[in-house]
Amino acid sequence: MIKGVSVTGTGFVGLVSAVCFAERGFKAYAVTHDEDKAKTINQGEPPFYEPKLKRLLRSSLKSKLFRCTTDLKEAASNSEITFIAVGTPSRPDGDIDLSIIKRSSEEIGEAIAEKRGYHLVVVKSTVVPGTTGGLVKDSVEKHSGKKAGDGFGLCMSPEFLREGKAVYDTFHTDRVVIGEYDRKSGDILHKFYRRFYGKKTPPILRMSLASAEMVKYASNAFLAAKISFINEIARICEATAGVDVAEVAKGMGYDKRIGHLFLEAGLGFGGSCFPKDVRALIAYAQRKRYPPLLLRSILDVNERQAFHGVELAEQLVGSLKGKRVALLGLAFKPETSDIREAASLKIIDRLLGLGAEVAVYDPVAMPEVEKLYGKKIMYAGSPRDCLKKADCCILVTEWSEFKKLKPGDFTKVMRNPAVVDGRKVFNPNVFSKKLRFAAVGWGHQPS
Ligand code: NAD
């Protein structure tokens, strides 16, 4: 019976997974190289913002079922399964950087070398097909002196959680995918998941290691394609008076074959997954001598979409040189402090390049942005402060507190009230009557 699990990587996936495993009664270890980070986590402070995580972390520390450690050997010897949840960033050429995966696999190999008994290694990180059965297997074998399928087992189980809903998603996934090196490895992981989810066990799909790796890429590429698709439709809607992409998406989404989710037009996708995973799949396809035309278009449409927020601002107020632009929202999406590949960063760069003054506000992501821009931009303490004396506002991230703003909240404090709704949160018919207004995908009537 599985009593203990260890997880390498203490980012969104690793830390959330380990804490949730502990919540379900497993003895869970999160493993990091960073002593300070381990100390902070063991004091009950997550290194990033994620709803519900702090409360769960503190209760799992109290119950002594969770601990963050820098000692992988200790964690591996007190657990039967080690999940690899380290980062898989993009290389400058867009291909996947597997160096952290390699290092983590080598460390796991060393950690289980002297362990008596079988140990299961599970890759949770997003990796291109062939990685688990190749690089991971070879590295663990080389550094443990054991053979896969004999001294240790091997699985690939992609993670589908969403930042901002990571805890909820870990307990309520739509499906679990198990890629297995051999039947024994798959059986052990299957049993673990059945115990973790209990009566609410979702469908568990078992397949080859490489198919499991591909499921993750195909899923993310499909979701990213849905976003780029509706953003392209949004641009066509803008050119057509009286069409609103939100109404169009609603009309489409009731078709069960299409569905409502991921059909929200905006300033494009960002974050640590969609851009890097689509890039990695493109590079992988090219290596396999297939030209991925559709995948490239997903990124092309996305690349232009953030800058479109600035274009809409220029359409409203003319040249932005010397004008103050207020950005509401910086995180790549609501409920996270993550700004990796966020639309806000592209917009700030473009605005600074155009000679605009930039004021920003975000409920949680401001410290991350300050690390990048320092004194080049102004940081406001509230939406109202951010809007003060601004000549234009671009709503970049749809935090719920922004959805409550009324036209008067802008007209009272802005120097020249003009609003670009980059995430379709305001009613264009109401706002456009009170101030200069543009929104992604809204083809307004010529005035
Ligand atoms: P992250 O960048 O937030 O965290 C990775 C962590 O691994 C960092 O804390 C880093 O310090 C640590 N690390 C690096 N080398 C290590 C080592 N040798 N031993 C232990 N720790 C080490 O990454 P993340 O967002 O948690 O994503 C991890 C993986 O899961 C990636 O492959 C990602 O694509 C995938 N994924 C992410 C999400 C998401 O929403 N963030 C969702 C699904 C899948």
Side-chain angles (χ1 to χ4, degrees):
M1 188 158 105
I2 296 140
K3 293 194 191 111
V5 282
S6 45
V7 183
T8 66
T10 46
F12 287 86
V13 173
L15 185 59
V16 170
S17 302
V19 166
C20 291
F21 294 158
E23 176 70 16
R24 285 287 180 269
F26 296 96
K27 178 89 188 152
Y29 298 86
V31 185
T32 173
H33 282 174
D34 184 336
E35 299 264 0
D36 290 339
K37 194 175 184 187
K39 207 168 148 196
T40 315
I41 291 173
N42 286 330
Q43 284 164 351
E45 284 302 329
F48 48 83
Y49 173 73
E50 182 61 43
K52 299 188 184 147
L53 178 60
K54 195 189 269 196
R55 188 171 52 77
L56 276 194
L57 171 63
R58 291 182 177 185
S59 74
S60 64
L61 284 165
K62 208 166 162 195
S63 67
K64 297 202 170 7
L65 281 171
F66 170 85
R67 198 155 63 80
C68 188
T69 174
T70 52
D71 188 345
L72 178 56
K73 200 169 174 184
E74 183 213 348
S77 56
N78 287 309
S79 60
E80 290 85 23
I81 306 179
T82 299
F83 288 90
I84 300 180
V86 296
T88 47
S90 287
R91 291 194 325 216
D93 64 358
D95 209 341
I96 187 170
D97 178 351
L98 289 170
S99 58
I100 311 176
I101 289 283
K102 182 167 186 278
R103 186 157 165 223
S104 188
S105 309
E106 291 168 353
E107 289 165 355
I108 292 170
E110 282 159 20
I112 63 168
E114 283 153 34
K115 183 178 171 177
R116 274 197 283 165
Y118 186 88
H119 195 86
L120 180 64
V121 179
V122 182
V123 176
K124 227 179 202 308
S125 300
T126 304
V127 292
V128 289
T131 307
T132 307
L135 178 89
V136 175
K137 174 179 156 293
D138 294 349
S139 305
V140 178
E141 283 187 338
K142 188 170 167 204
H143 289 259
S144 65
K146 299 181 178 188
K147 278 267 161 232
D150 183 14
F152 69 95
L154 192 59
C155 285
M156 196 285 148
S157 186
E159 178 56 65
F160 300 104
L161 64 76
R162 296 162 293 177
E163 282 177 31
K165 295 196 168 75
V167 170
Y168 177 86
D169 286 351
T170 303
F171 291 127
H172 303 93
T173 187
D174 293 336
R175 80 306 203 182
V176 167
V177 171
I178 297 179
E180 56 199 42
Y181 177 75
D182 58 4
R183 200 180 169 88
K184 182 177 172 185
S185 307
D187 284 349
I188 295 172
L189 190 59
H190 199 138
K191 267 192 205 142
F192 166 76
Y193 280 133
R194 284 237 299 271
R195 226 189 102 202
F196 177 76
Y197 292 109
K199 286 195 182 118
K200 290 187 180 154
T201 301
I204 296 182
L205 313 170
R206 292 176 62 168
M207 57 187 74
S208 71
L209 292 173
S211 290
E213 289 164 332
M214 195 57 154
V215 167
K216 175 66 191 178
Y217 278 103
S219 302
N220 270 3
F222 185 76
L223 295 172
K226 256 187 126 176
I227 297 172
S228 278
F229 175 84
I230 200 66
N231 282 338
E232 185 149 291
I233 295 293
R235 299 292 289 274
I236 304 169
C237 291
E238 277 170 40
T240 317
V243 181
D244 186 340
V245 71
E247 293 174 346
V248 174
K250 199 169 173 187
M252 290 169 65
Y254 274 96
D255 185 328
K256 289 192 187 69
R257 294 168 302 175
I258 298 173
H260 293 287
L261 298 176
F262 285 77
L263 269 195
E264 284 154 5
L267 296 175
F269 56 79
S272 67
C273 289
F274 286 175
K276 98 170 159 68
D277 291 349
V278 178
R279 281 196 297 263
L281 187 55
I282 289 172
Y284 180 76
Q286 281 166 342
R287 255 188 284 133
K288 298 289 172 189
R289 300 189 183 284
Y290 175 77
L293 305 179
L294 181 59
L295 297 179
R296 282 198 203 114
S297 304
I298 295 171
L299 293 185
D300 291 346
V301 170
N302 196 57
E303 188 60 30
R304 289 190 307 188
Q305 201 61 15
F307 300 126
H308 186 52
V310 180
E311 288 162 7
L312 288 174
E314 285 173 318
Q315 283 171 24
L316 282 185
V317 304
S319 164
L320 294 170
K321 192 166 188 294
K323 296 206 172 113
R324 181 178 293 189
V325 182
L327 299 191
L328 293 183
L330 299 167
F332 87 92
K333 66 176 182 179
E335 300 296 336
T336 181
S337 54
D338 198 343
I339 57 161
R340 288 179 281 184
E341 307 218 23
S344 63
L345 307 183
K346 292 182 194 161
I347 293 174
I348 293 172
D349 289 340
R350 177 63 55 97
L351 289 172
L352 291 175
L354 290 169
E357 275 181 21
V358 181
V360 300
Y361 171 74
D362 187 284
V364 300
M366 230 128 63
E368 299 302 316
V369 170
E370 200 167 355
K371 281 182 209 158
L372 294 180
Y373 291 95
K375 294 199 166 78
K376 284 191 205 150
I377 60 175
M378 290 169 277
Y379 305 91
S382 66
R384 192 188 153 85
D385 268 358
C386 188
L387 294 170
K388 258 186 211 161
K389 296 192 187 153
D391 299 294
C392 185
C393 164
I394 307 177
L395 186 132
V396 184
T397 314
E398 65 277 30
W399 285 94
S400 51
E401 66 177 277
F402 302 150
K403 293 183 184 170
K404 294 182 200 136
L405 295 172
K406 303 271 181 304
D409 295 315
F410 297 90
T411 51
K412 272 184 220 147
V413 290
M414 289 178 76
R415 184 158 44 206
N416 288 307
V419 172
V420 173
D421 181 357
R423 297 292 176 183
K424 301 287 297 162
V425 302
F426 302 129
N427 182 334
N429 300 318
V430 173
F431 269 68
S432 61
K433 289 200 177 79
K434 305 280 183 190
L435 39 72
R436 282 173 298 161
F437 182 80
V440 166
W442 181 56
H444 51 290
Q445 304 285 349
S447 51

